[in-house]
Amino acid sequence: MILDINTLRLDFPILAQTANDQPLVYLDNAATTQKPQVVLDALEYYYQSQNANVHRAAHALSGQATQAFEGARTKVASFINAPDSAQVIWTRGTTEAINLVAYSFGMHSLKAGDEILLSTMEHHANIVPWQQVAAATGAIIKVIPLTADDELDIEAAAGLFSDRTKLLAVSHISNALGMINPIKELITMAKAVGAVTLIDGAQAVGHFPIDVQALDCDFYVFSGHKMFGPTGIGVLYGKRELLEAMPPWQTGGEMIKKVSFARTTFGELPFKFEAGTPNIAGAIGLGAAIDYLSGLDRAALAKHEQALMKQLLTGLSTMPDVRIIGRPQAGAVSFVIDEVHPQDLATLLDMQGIAVRTGHHCAMPLMQALDLSQGTIRASIAFYNTPDDIAALLAGLDKAREFF
Ligand code: 7TS
């Protein structure tokens, strides 16, 4: 199948818009992706024709809403190859999913002296909740350092694992540098010492298929909005025995079996972790995004994205004042330009309709490790980007340079 990106782009109405009176060149996909019309339609259809609360009422509309909502959970389960949709917990996004594990598993299972192993590449969402756990339990945070080539130092990681290591929490792809971390090796090392593993897949799900059983991680977390779905919906996948052993985090309606003032018993998975009315529309919208992605040739999309990455890296490497940070492999490319503040550059790009992100990318410890106090400029791609988008960015940098 020949991939016709220009036809696929028509599925995303926002891409036809202008920004600052220029055609929009959207290269901030690591922050959030745009939504295809089918996702927008699913949201509208739910509110127009199916809106009712789920799991409760004995009426037709509630039955339809529940079916659509639970159908979306089944779609997520098959999308990541989870053995059972009861192991798919809805959350607000990656951040909430990590907090759920931190507060339910971390706060209850970790003790003083236990070690939590993170990496230098982590987004704040996979750092701060563990610091809270460490502060409350006396657990200790250890960090996998970078090599001289700015990769995760696997040899150093091997030296950091011990029988004190109780949890490994690492990102699948670094949001700041677009580097794919060696999670398979790290998971194997964690298993060898009996540590629980959490993979932050926020930046991976939009770029290639995920198989949680093949990875054999204990938890995998991601956000719908980074894979062409709505904001405010995300997923915690977990191994059944761990999820069953974990206490509820938030409590209230929907998550109980029986309540009396003397005693409350909690619901089964996944409901035990889903207190209150969930983001029904968001879940249904994410289901529509999965249907949309599943209808495309994902291998061809990945190949197209790789070609865009190559075009961008080649173009940047011909610019003597540009320094590419790390070894970008998927999604994002971070770079700095000598003597130019990233924010000034982004403003000049924005005037040309080009959307990128600048700064620390919610990865301040990584920026400190790389000695990049002003952060970087980050261009991040999705499959609907085109060679013209990359050419526009490269030309935009040349034009911006005239101002410095
Ligand atoms: N983990 C990673 C690796 C991320 O890239 C992000 C968001 C999060 C966690 C948090 O996801 P959320 O949906 O709960 O907010 N990353 C970015 C980014 O790179 N630019 O804006 C948000």
Side-chain angles (χ1 to χ4, degrees):
M1 187 182 94
I2 308 261
L3 206 53
D4 182 353
I5 295 297
N6 285 326
T7 303
L8 277 185
R9 281 174 70 85
L10 300 175
D11 295 338
F12 294 80
I14 209 168
L15 296 178
Q17 273 184 198
T18 54
N20 285 327
D21 300 325
Q22 314 277 327
L24 170 65
V25 176
Y26 187 74
L27 292 169
D28 194 18
N29 293 286
T32 199
T33 52
Q34 301 302 346
K35 323 302 173 200
Q37 186 65 49
V38 285
V39 169
L40 307 178
D41 289 347
L43 294 173
E44 187 176 298
Y45 182 75
Y46 165 72
Y47 282 122
Q48 252 177 20
S49 309
Q50 294 178 309
N51 180 55
N53 213 327
V54 288
H55 303 138
R56 304 166 194 232
H59 60 79
L61 218 44
S62 175
Q64 280 173 33
T66 303
Q67 211 170 7
F69 176 72
E70 289 302 327
R73 197 192 303 272
T74 309
K75 287 175 191 178
V76 169
S78 100
F79 187 68
I80 59 171
N81 194 30
D84 184 349
S85 63
Q87 291 166 255
V88 170
I89 317 289
W90 297 121
T91 66
R92 274 196 303 125
T94 307
T95 303
E96 192 177 60
I98 296 173
N99 273 274
L100 195 166
V101 179
Y103 281 84
S104 174
F105 169 78
M107 290 291 190
H108 292 91
S109 297
L110 300 187
K111 300 184 301 297
D114 285 348
E115 292 179 3
I116 300 169
L117 189 56
L118 307 177
S119 92
T120 308
M121 295 271 185
E122 298 318 303
H123 186 281
H124 297 162
N126 199 25
I127 299 174
V128 187
W130 303 117
Q131 290 175 327
Q132 296 294 97
V133 170
T137 63
I140 294 158
I141 291 178
K142 298 262 164 142
V143 183
I144 303 171
L146 302 181
T147 63
D149 295 332
D150 300 334
E151 294 185 2
L152 284 193
D153 190 334
I154 276 287
E155 272 177 41
L160 286 169
F161 280 104
S162 75
D163 56 7
R164 290 185 301 280
T165 315
K166 298 298 175 213
L167 178 85
L168 167 78
V170 286
S171 53
H172 200 159
I173 299 184
S174 150
N175 71 309
L177 304 187
M179 290 169 73
I180 303 175
N181 289 322
I183 56 164
K184 198 77 190 121
E185 288 99 309
L186 290 169
I187 291 169
T188 304
M189 288 181 195
K191 282 188 179 307
V193 297
V196 165
T197 52
L198 179 145
I199 304 300
D200 173 353
Q203 294 297 338
V205 278
H207 294 293
F208 47 71
I210 302 300
D211 182 335
V212 290
Q213 292 190 73
L215 286 173
D216 202 19
C217 53
D218 293 306
F219 299 109
Y220 197 95
V221 297
F222 57 95
S223 301
H225 72 96
K226 293 189 199 284
M227 50 171 287
F228 320 104
T231 51
I233 189 77
V235 168
L236 164 66
Y237 156 80
K239 286 221 175 125
R240 179 179 275 281
E241 56 280 15
L242 273 163
L243 292 174
E244 274 176 353
M246 283 158 55
W249 173 37
Q250 295 176 348
T251 55
E254 282 276 290
M255 52 76 68
I256 52 87
K257 210 177 260 167
K258 222 169 175 180
V259 178
S260 74
F261 281 111
R263 188 170 117 84
T264 290
T265 49
F266 304 125
E268 304 286 329
L269 290 178
F271 309 113
K272 180 172 93 172
F273 291 113
E274 295 180 356
T277 298
N279 182 354
I280 306 167
I284 292 171
L286 179 53
I290 288 174
D291 285 342
Y292 177 77
L293 271 179
S294 306
L296 302 176
D297 179 346
R298 293 201 77 194
L301 298 183
K303 208 164 146 200
H304 165 69
E305 287 185 27
Q306 284 303 316
L308 295 178
M309 290 288 280
K310 191 161 171 218
Q311 182 191 354
L312 178 53
L313 290 169
T314 306
L316 290 175
S317 60
T318 62
M319 298 177 173
D321 55 349
V322 167
R323 183 157 62 94
I324 295 165
I325 311 299
R327 199 170 44 80
Q329 293 159 298
V333 175
S334 252
F335 57 96
V336 291
I337 299 193
D338 293 342
E339 317 281 324
V340 178
H341 195 291
Q343 189 50 48
D344 294 340
L345 194 65
T347 304
L348 291 166
L349 291 174
D350 185 41
M351 284 162 59
Q352 303 173 63
I354 303 166
V356 294
R357 187 179 169 186
T358 61
H360 53 64
H361 313 296
C362 301
M364 281 185 177
L366 175 63
M367 295 297 135
Q368 282 153 17
L370 296 168
D371 201 16
L372 293 167
S373 57
Q374 295 173 333
T376 72
I377 302 140
R378 181 188 71 181
S380 53
I381 59 169
F383 66 80
Y384 46 59
N385 287 121
T386 63
D388 285 349
D389 288 340
I390 305 297
L393 171 63
L394 295 169
L397 290 173
D398 284 337
K399 207 159 172 194
R401 209 180 263 109
E402 290 165 15
F403 287 84
F404 298 111

